Amino acid sequence: MSETVEKIQSIEAEASSAIGSAGTPAELEDARVRFLGRKAALNEILKSIAQLPPEEKGPVGKAGNQTRGRLEALLSRRQEVLEAAALNDLLENERIDITLPASPTIAGGSLHPITQTRREIEDVFVGMGYKVAEGPEVERVHYNFDALNHPPNHPAREWTDTFYFSDDVLLRTHTSPVQVRVMERQPPPVYVIVPGKVYRRDNDATHTPMFHQIEGLAVDENVTLGDLRGTLLEFARAIFGEDREVRLRPHFFPFTEPSVEIDVSCFKCKGGGHLKDGSRCNLCKGIGWIEILGAGMVDPNVFEHVRESGYDPEKIQGFAFGMGVERIAMLKHGVPDLRLFYDNDLRFLDQFGRGVA
Amino acid sequence: MRVPMNWLAEYCDPGMDAAALADRLAMTGTEVERVVRHGAQTTEGFVIGKVLTREQHPDADRLSVCGVDVGEGEPVTIVCGAPNVDAGQTVAVARPGAVMPDGTKLKKAKLRGVESNGMILAEDELEIGGDHNGIMQLETDPALSGRELAAGAPLIEALVPGEDVLELEITPNRPDCLGVYGVAREVHAITGNPLASLPTGPSPEGDETFSIEVQDHTLCPRFTARVYRDVKVGSSPLWLKQRLSAAGQRPINNVVDITNYLMLLTGQPMHAFDMDKIRGGRLVIRNASEAEKMTTLDGVERVCDEQTVLVCDGEGPSAIAGIMGGAISEVSDETTSVLLEIATWNGPNIHRTSQKLALRSEASGRFEKGLSAELPLEVQELAAKLMTELTGARLTSATIDVAGEIAAPRAVKLRATKLRALLGAEISAQRCAEILQRLAFDVAVEGDDVVATPPHFRAADITREADLIEEIARVEGVDSIPATLPAAPAAIGRLSGSQRLKRRIEDLLAANGYHEAITWSFTGAQQLAAISADGAAAPEHELLTIANPLSEDHSVMRPLALPGLLQAAKHNLARGADAVRLFEVGAVYSGTADEPREHTAIALLLSGPAAAGTWRDQGANGDFYALKGVVDAVAAQAGVTPEYQPIDATHHTYLIPGRAAEVLVGDVSLGWLGELHPLVAKRFDLPDTVVGELNLQALSALLPEPVTYEPISTFPPAREDIAVVVEAERTADEVLGVVREAGGKLLSGAGVFDVYEGEQVGEGRKSLAIRLTYSAPDRTLTDDEVAAARAKITERLESIGGLLRG
Ligand SMILES: [Zn+2]
């Protein structure tokens, strides 16, 4: 190996070390000038190749140019490292307080808990094959009472109990009149639920003159009381939890027969009536069951009113149920006072805004 | 209705405590509101005592020191404050440990230095009656005198010191359960335990007759009467008082107590007339004449109408049928002859009259539910027994029975197939027959079917197969029916397009910072006046008015949701909210009672910043344009871009006329929005506020067909900005309209991006900066094409007085 090639190798070793140890851009620039500058030893060697003996020209030129290439690469890599380090130092001083509040695209609004509960119930029944029907709040006595088999002296008809506009026109006292309207419009089978506002002439701690109900109606050739039970069991589990059971108690409603009230097993005490600490469960009052709705098999007299639309009580049968949305919402969310739903206090509404939209 | 457990057990012993029975009843269709305790909390500690000695207390004038035999060998000392206590009496004693009605546990006590080992009881101390004048003397009680009452025996052998009482809610279809005996029949049906029959009374001793005429049997299906002589009105025996009190009825005198007792037992109300005060010796049951007056036994003069039914004597009204007796023939302490009326009245008529007269009584509440016309005959028998035994009276007449045609109960067929189809459960015909028999039906099994005739007291309620199925289901237990789901191939669940639109809009508003409110559908004239800028008159709306409102504030159905939202905004601002953004989706109403109208409104209110400020941004100001953006976004959910036109201020007196708009799509009005009039805002203590209301049904009607794809141009558009100075009155829409028309097909977009008013453009003028976009689907436009289009636009703008700025 020629002397010159050895010199090149020694230059490369020295330069590599200088570049690698350069800690600032200035030191790196110094190293560049020193080893790759115009007056640097390597450049001098490459410039003087012409004067070398012919057998050395090749090897020296090759070694010099390779060394130069490697050093240039080393230099630019070192430069990147130094620049990144400098940037990181800079960024280190630009820390922000990540605990300050976010800038939201828009501050959250909310759906009213009644709307949320109504939708939740609607979705359960839509999933079971029901459509959602609606009807007028200002209703005729015929639809609200007569066609629903309320005898002429039924107490709910009284002017002390129901809001009237005239002898024939009232504010509906339940969503049930829509049952009749739906059956007038379409022949069986019918699977509908009816959400809406209803009105009763009551105003005290546990009653508001306006509240919300959801009515359900299933009419087909062979819908049974057992089907009612199964349907409402599915509903109760969807709303109150998978472990829930339902209980049917006989009751009386003018437009269903047999009529039942449905209780759901208490989701606070798991139906035992007592909490873990042994105290009586205040949600179900120690009974283990909570009444959630009224239901029953549609009374044949109701079908008689819509017989012309295809409802022959000998050929079809069905069930109906009705529940108070406020009651379900109060149970589900632990809202203690009915009035909170109608104060429209933002501090209340805001609690139901999480997860909206 | 209150059912004392001891009274119930006399006819059917449930064989379980009150709580367990309450549960059984609840699961078979009789709702139990609660179980309460009447009288002493315990029966232990209450015994029969014999007063052996009575001495004056050494240190107290009003106290006696008694030696009382309570069956412990030696008499015990009891200090008593009653004036009537004396040696020789048989008394009720509460011993230490006994728990009184108010829950206090009796202890030995020293009274002025003398130790007392219990308490000799007065009626009121066990809630038996109201008498506190003295202690109860058991040996003088008509029902107990002559009976062996051993000292130290439990008091309950003579008198119930305390018991559980069921408070039942009887459903309107079961008037037969409005008496203790009816409930005993239910207990028999659900437990199978034996049912004792009601006792029968003596046969009439005399053949006294009395003239009774019923003019209309549809109003009075049956009127029965019996006549009693030598009645001695006095106090009732303790057991009777105790039962009445436990059932919630105050004891009065033996005759009145008997009528109340029998009503509480059988459900059948009755009325006792003082026979000597029935003028003319006859009764006529007739309709009142218009405005006919009579004074009821509560001393109030009642004005009747022609549908009121009266029981009249020879000279005039003596009672209002089925509701209340008259003062004129009321039984008093001097009464010696009684005519006992037990009748059946027309339910709806009684209901109507009771409403009309605003007069409700225990009797009317029962009659209006429709009672069996067979019942009066049975109850007359019972009454005879009690009247003769408790008042010493002689029954001097047969039952005078004036009845119309009374329909017999009809047999009803129950098909096992129908039962199975309806319940989805298997119950054998044999089991059905068994249940119906226990419910006192006449039953015949015919193969798979059952033919059942209801007892008279259920005849009105049981007329159809469905009624029988209900009876069987409830006694068998509806809770035992297995859960299944309908096999419903035709059930396809989905929301309609407009229901989905409503949800999208609600979600959009919530996501944009609006809180959903639910306000009352009611409003009032005062609230509507408050949203009129001049405050004088309600805005011009056709108002749907409630005939029987709860209050003036709630007497009108809201024609718009604004008053409720303003109230909610006021509520929140008063409680420290710095911005209120509310929406409500609900019905608003108009029209008349004959032709009512309602539609669903989307109401909006923005008070304070349009968006909440943050720690580095104060939030955009809530003004017309902020809410207009919301309205645009709502309309976009229905796929439409609305136009905004000046509004008729006379219909929207709550808005600032120059800062309000009607929202239109074509010629369909979707609603309105605008800044709230400052005078209205002031009444609700609101800062600058913007409000609006859209019609959801109108929006739904515009829901578009599915979008059809249009090719996207691959050629770049050309953009340029122009500024045009126009008269200040010209609206942006007008100017853009001119631009678009002039730009023709090549102009693919034009929009205002800045507005300037000031010295540079001169008084009464404004400058609009407009961005123009030109494009063609099939080529890149040349400079010449763009220049030609702009020249046309410039020319048209100049023709409306516009001046292009360099
Ligand atoms: Zn519980």
Side-chain angles (χ1 to χ4, degrees):
Chain A
M1 186 180 291
S2 83
E3 202 180 314
T4 315
V5 171
E6 279 173 14
K7 192 172 177 198
I8 289 171
Q9 283 172 344
S10 102
I11 288 171
E12 182 168 356
E14 195 189 345
S16 298
S17 155
I19 290 168
S21 63
T24 65
E27 282 171 25
L28 191 64
E29 178 61 12
D30 280 351
R32 189 190 66 79
V33 170
R34 211 167 109 215
F35 297 104
L36 293 171
R38 252 184 328 114
K39 292 177 181 161
L42 185 60
N43 207 32
E44 293 298 333
I45 290 171
L46 288 169
K47 273 199 290 191
S48 64
I49 281 178
Q51 280 101 57
L52 288 177
E55 69 276 17
E56 278 189 36
K57 278 183 187 168
V60 170
K62 191 178 170 198
N65 279 319
Q66 280 176 348
T67 293
R68 186 186 185 93
R70 280 196 293 269
L71 288 178
E72 277 172 348
L74 214 57
L75 193 82
S76 88
R77 212 173 311 133
R78 186 64 193 164
Q79 181 143 6
E80 280 168 20
V81 168
L82 289 180
E83 277 171 3
L87 181 63
N88 282 338
D89 283 351
L90 198 69
L91 291 176
E92 186 59 33
N93 295 322
E94 289 182 358
R95 284 182 170 269
I96 58 163
D97 178 356
I98 57 168
T99 66
L100 280 172
S103 303
T105 43
I106 231 68
S110 62
L111 294 183
H112 196 283
I114 293 294
T115 297
Q116 294 188 33
T117 306
R118 193 200 73 218
R119 282 194 190 183
E120 206 178 333
I121 296 168
E122 281 175 0
D123 291 347
V124 170
F125 285 102
V126 166
M128 285 197 274
Y130 288 67
K131 292 192 175 68
V132 179
E134 288 149 307
E137 295 171 19
V138 180
E139 186 52 282
R140 285 178 44 212
V141 168
H142 170 79
Y143 288 105
N144 198 78
F145 291 130
D146 300 346
L148 291 167
N149 201 33
H150 284 61
N153 60 339
H154 194 281
R157 290 176 180 261
E158 283 171 25
W159 280 50
T160 49
D161 289 30
T162 297
F163 292 109
Y164 282 88
F165 299 97
S166 69
D167 286 332
D168 188 41
V169 179
L170 45 66
L171 274 174
R172 67 178 177 192
T173 60
H174 43 190
T175 39
S176 314
V178 184
Q179 283 184 18
V180 183
R181 289 181 173 274
V182 167
M183 288 191 284
E184 274 183 351
R185 274 202 303 265
Q186 73 168 90
V190 166
Y191 292 86
V192 291
I193 56 159
V194 184
K197 285 194 180 108
V198 300
Y199 302 85
R200 292 184 193 171
R201 222 171 154 280
D202 249 341
N203 203 359
D204 57 40
T206 55
H207 298 89
T208 46
M210 176 184 94
F211 58 103
H212 297 77
Q213 271 193 343
I214 293 185
E215 184 88 4
L217 176 72
V219 180
D220 212 329
E221 278 174 13
N222 47 14
V223 170
T224 67
L225 188 63
D227 292 341
L228 170 68
R229 185 193 187 112
T231 300
L232 294 176
L233 178 64
E234 286 299 319
F235 157 75
R237 290 182 174 175
I239 299 293
F240 294 112
E242 285 305 320
D243 300 332
R244 299 283 73 75
E245 294 296 334
V246 294
R247 177 173 90 161
L248 273 61
R249 278 182 292 108
H251 198 70
F252 172 77
F253 301 109
F255 43 102
T256 50
E257 186 164 69
S259 301
V260 292
E261 280 189 325
I262 308 274
D263 300 338
V264 63
S265 58
C266 180
F267 44 88
K268 189 167 179 185
C269 64
K270 310 290 172 222
H274 292 273
L275 302 180
K276 282 205 182 93
D277 64 5
S279 63
R280 197 182 76 144
C281 174
N282 59 352
L283 188 61
C284 64
K285 314 234 170 353
I287 297 166
W289 295 96
I290 300 168
E291 184 191 325
I292 50 166
L293 55 84
M297 300 305 290
V298 178
D299 194 292
N301 288 357
V302 174
F303 290 137
E304 286 297 343
H305 280 277
V306 288
R307 184 187 267 274
E308 311 257 289
S309 311
Y311 293 83
D312 177 349
E314 274 299 304
K315 294 193 178 120
I316 47 95
Q317 57 189 39
F319 62 73
F321 57 85
M323 68 188 94
V325 182
E326 281 81 352
R327 177 163 176 77
I328 305 287
M330 286 170 89
L331 287 171
K332 199 170 160 70
H333 300 290
V335 176
D337 183 354
L338 186 60
R339 306 258 148 198
L340 286 165
F341 292 123
Y342 298 104
D343 284 345
N344 297 304
D345 193 305
L346 292 178
R347 294 165 299 180
F348 174 77
L349 298 175
D350 242 352
Q351 296 178 25
F352 298 91
R354 294 166 197 146
V356 150
Chain B
M1 193 188 61
R2 288 171 63 103
V3 177
M5 285 295 282
N6 282 291
W7 194 356
L8 177 67
E10 183 176 329
Y11 300 105
C12 184
D13 187 347
M16 59 187 102
D17 67 13
L21 179 60
D23 208 42
R24 279 299 288 282
L25 286 170
M27 294 307 289
T28 52
T30 308
E31 191 159 345
V32 183
E33 284 186 338
R34 54 191 166 157
V35 176
V36 295
R37 185 78 189 175
H38 183 82
Q41 302 288 310
T42 57
T43 50
E44 299 82 44
F46 293 91
V47 297
I48 294 167
K50 303 241 183 208
V51 182
L52 302 180
T53 57
R54 187 203 80 87
E55 282 160 20
Q56 179 65 42
H57 189 290
D59 294 322
D61 289 349
R62 294 196 181 156
L63 295 180
S64 304
V65 179
C66 304
V68 183
D69 180 0
V70 291
E72 294 180 354
E74 285 298 303
V76 297
T77 303
I78 296 176
V79 178
C80 180
N84 66 335
V85 69
D86 212 342
Q89 290 170 344
T90 303
V91 293
V93 177
R95 301 301 316 278
V99 185
M100 303 301 289
D102 65 0
T104 52
K105 192 171 186 178
L106 218 60
K107 296 189 190 84
K108 283 187 189 178
K110 275 204 166 154
L111 291 166
R112 296 256 178 143
V114 179
E115 188 175 75
S116 183
N117 293 283
M119 192 169 150
I120 302 174
L121 299 166
E123 280 183 10
D124 67 334
E125 282 158 341
L126 287 180
E127 298 180 339
I128 286 169
D131 192 358
H132 192 63
N133 292 325
I135 52 152
M136 293 180 279
Q137 292 171 247
L138 304 184
E139 81 285 357
T140 64
D141 181 76
L144 295 174
S145 64
R147 265 182 59 187
E148 186 58 42
L149 298 171
L155 179 60
I156 199 161
E157 289 180 9
L159 186 62
V160 178
E163 64 183 324
D164 287 336
V165 177
L166 303 174
E167 285 193 6
L168 304 181
E169 170 82 35
I170 303 299
T171 52
N173 61 327
R174 294 302 302 274
D176 62 300
C177 281
L178 290 169
V180 171
Y181 193 72
V183 178
R185 277 193 301 247
E186 262 316 285
V187 172
H188 165 69
I190 62 177
T191 63
N193 295 350
L195 176 71
S197 35
L198 288 168
T200 52
S203 302
E205 292 168 12
D207 54 359
E208 198 164 352
T209 57
F210 192 85
S211 163
I212 292 170
E213 181 197 342
V214 175
Q215 291 190 345
D216 184 352
H217 277 301
T218 59
L219 297 175
C220 175
R222 170 164 259 153
F223 191 101
T224 73
R226 280 184 169 188
V227 177
Y228 296 89
R229 301 285 183 186
D230 304 332
V231 175
K232 284 180 210 66
V233 175
S235 180
S236 291
L238 289 168
W239 70 265
L240 179 52
K241 289 185 183 177
Q242 192 273 336
R243 282 194 174 170
L244 289 177
S245 299
Q249 191 82 41
R250 196 164 54 87
I252 294 167
N253 63 45
N254 51 8
V255 173
V256 175
D257 290 353
I258 287 168
T259 62
N260 283 331
Y261 177 77
L262 290 174
M263 176 180 74
L264 294 170
L265 176 62
T266 65
Q268 169 71 53
M270 63 208 71
H271 182 62
F273 290 87
D274 185 330
M275 179 97 175
D276 298 328
K277 292 178 186 161
I278 300 177
R279 299 158 296 185
R282 64 194 178 98
L283 289 176
V284 178
I285 291 83
R286 62 163 171 83
N287 287 62
S289 52
E290 189 58 39
E292 189 167 358
K293 288 177 187 145
M294 75 156 291
T295 303
T296 41
L297 49 75
D298 55 6
V300 179
E301 188 181 70
R302 310 281 174 180
V303 182
C304 307
D305 64 11
E306 286 174 337
Q307 291 184 61
T308 310
V309 180
L310 297 175
V311 180
C312 302
D313 61 17
E315 293 179 26
S318 196
I320 300 179
I323 299 177
M324 194 175 274
I328 192 167
S329 52
E330 189 179 0
V331 169
S332 70
D333 290 349
E334 285 73 47
T335 301
T336 59
S337 299
V338 165
L339 180 136
L340 187 64
E341 165 213 309
I342 308 184
T344 313
W345 305 102
N346 176 299
N349 175 269
I350 296 294
H351 174 77
R352 193 213 65 91
T353 301
S354 151
Q355 287 283 306
K356 182 90 187 169
L357 298 178
L359 178 61
R360 294 191 142 261
S361 63
E362 284 276 349
S364 69
R366 287 172 158 80
F367 281 126
E368 69 188 22
K369 295 188 174 71
L371 299 181
S372 160
E374 301 295 338
L375 203 49
L377 297 173
E378 290 178 13
V379 180
Q380 283 287 11
E381 291 273 312
L382 277 172
K385 180 174 162 64
L386 290 179
M387 285 293 289
T388 52
E389 285 177 10
L390 302 186
T391 75
R394 283 184 305 117
L395 172 58
T396 59
S397 75
T399 303
I400 304 157
D401 179 16
V402 184
E405 201 170 315
I406 289 159
R410 273 189 328 112
V412 182
K413 187 170 181 174
L414 169 68
R415 293 163 295 173
T417 45
K418 184 71 183 173
L419 178 95
R420 209 163 32 234
L422 204 66
L423 300 184
E426 199 78 42
I427 304 172
S428 72
Q430 209 50 51
R431 176 71 185 141
C432 291
E434 199 180 304
I435 289 169
L436 292 171
Q437 264 157 1
R438 268 204 213 155
L439 288 165
F441 285 63
D442 230 355
V443 181
V445 177
E446 294 176 0
D448 250 5
D449 301 339
V450 175
V451 177
T453 309
H456 68 80
F457 50 84
R458 298 298 306 280
D461 179 37
I462 309 284
T463 57
R464 307 164 304 162
E465 190 173 35
D467 303 322
L468 290 179
I469 292 172
E470 176 168 60
E471 290 300 302
I472 288 158
R474 75 178 179 88
V475 175
E476 185 71 5
V478 280
D479 199 40
S480 63
I481 289 167
T484 50
L485 284 173
I492 312 294
R494 77 169 81 89
L495 295 178
S496 69
S498 68
Q499 286 161 352
R500 277 179 288 138
L501 173 65
K502 181 177 164 210
R503 284 196 178 194
R504 281 204 304 277
I505 290 171
E506 290 166 345
D507 289 340
L508 169 93
L509 291 169
N512 279 280
Y514 284 72
H515 290 278
E516 187 189 8
I518 299 181
T519 69
W520 303 117
S521 301
F522 313 108
T523 186
Q526 225 179 332
Q527 283 79 348
L528 291 173
I531 62 162
S532 163
D534 61 17
E540 284 180 39
H541 285 288
E542 210 177 11
L543 297 177
L544 198 52
T545 305
I546 299 173
N548 56 339
L550 277 173
S551 66
E552 267 307 303
D553 291 2
H554 281 191
S555 61
V556 172
M557 298 309 288
R558 62 180 184 189
L560 72 175
L562 183 61
L565 285 189
L566 291 175
Q567 194 56 46
K570 178 182 176 175
H571 168 98
N572 282 295
L573 288 164
R575 279 158 188 79
D578 48 10
V580 180
R581 293 179 295 276
L582 292 173
F583 77 97
E584 178 167 8
V585 182
V588 295
Y589 315 81
S590 59
T592 61
D594 290 337
E595 259 179 83
R597 286 194 300 279
E598 59 189 272
H599 72 261
T600 308
I602 304 157
L604 301 162
L605 178 141
L606 166 56
S607 198
T614 69
W615 51 276
R616 55 181 189 167
D617 168 5
Q618 285 320 296
N621 191 28
D623 61 6
F624 175 88
Y625 298 109
L627 200 66
K628 183 179 174 185
V630 173
V631 169
D632 273 342
V634 168
Q637 292 299 321
V640 293
T641 309
E643 288 163 39
Y644 295 83
Q645 290 194 354
I647 202 159
D648 179 354
T650 57
H651 285 96
H652 300 273
T653 55
Y654 33 86
L655 300 178
I656 303 174
R659 305 173 85 83
E662 184 170 14
V663 184
L664 294 144
V665 170
D667 52 7
V668 177
S669 174
L670 292 185
W672 51 267
L673 83 157
E675 294 184 8
L676 190 66
H677 199 288
L679 290 175
V680 177
K682 200 173 153 203
R683 288 188 203 117
F684 289 88
D685 303 323
L686 300 181
D688 290 354
T689 295
V690 209
V691 293
E693 188 173 299
L694 300 176
N695 181 332
L696 179 66
Q697 273 86 36
L699 258 180
S700 284
L702 299 171
L703 273 171
E705 298 294 310
V707 171
T708 306
Y709 169 76
E710 281 176 25
I712 300 161
S713 171
T714 50
F715 302 94
R719 289 207 175 85
E720 67 173 346
D721 296 343
I722 59 169
V724 58
V725 177
V726 292
E727 292 145 335
E729 292 75 43
R730 291 248 182 233
T731 67
D733 265 2
E734 276 179 79
V735 175
L736 288 177
V738 166
V739 168
R740 289 196 187 103
E741 202 195 319
K745 268 202 252 174
L746 295 186
L747 184 72
S748 57
V752 172
F753 66 92
D754 194 21
V755 180
Y756 174 78
E757 280 175 282
E759 275 175 35
Q760 286 182 40
V761 294
E763 181 86 354
R765 298 175 76 76
K766 66 181 174 190
S767 166
L768 297 176
I770 300 172
R771 172 152 299 169
L772 304 172
T773 306
Y774 306 93
S775 67
D778 54 351
R779 66 188 188 279
T780 303
L781 294 177
T782 63
D783 291 349
D784 287 350
E785 283 177 304
V786 171
R790 185 184 48 241
K792 240 185 187 169
I793 290 169
T794 310
E795 186 192 340
R796 287 284 291 117
L797 284 174
E798 280 166 359
S799 78
I800 61 158
L803 178 69
L804 260 75
R805 295 167 78 206

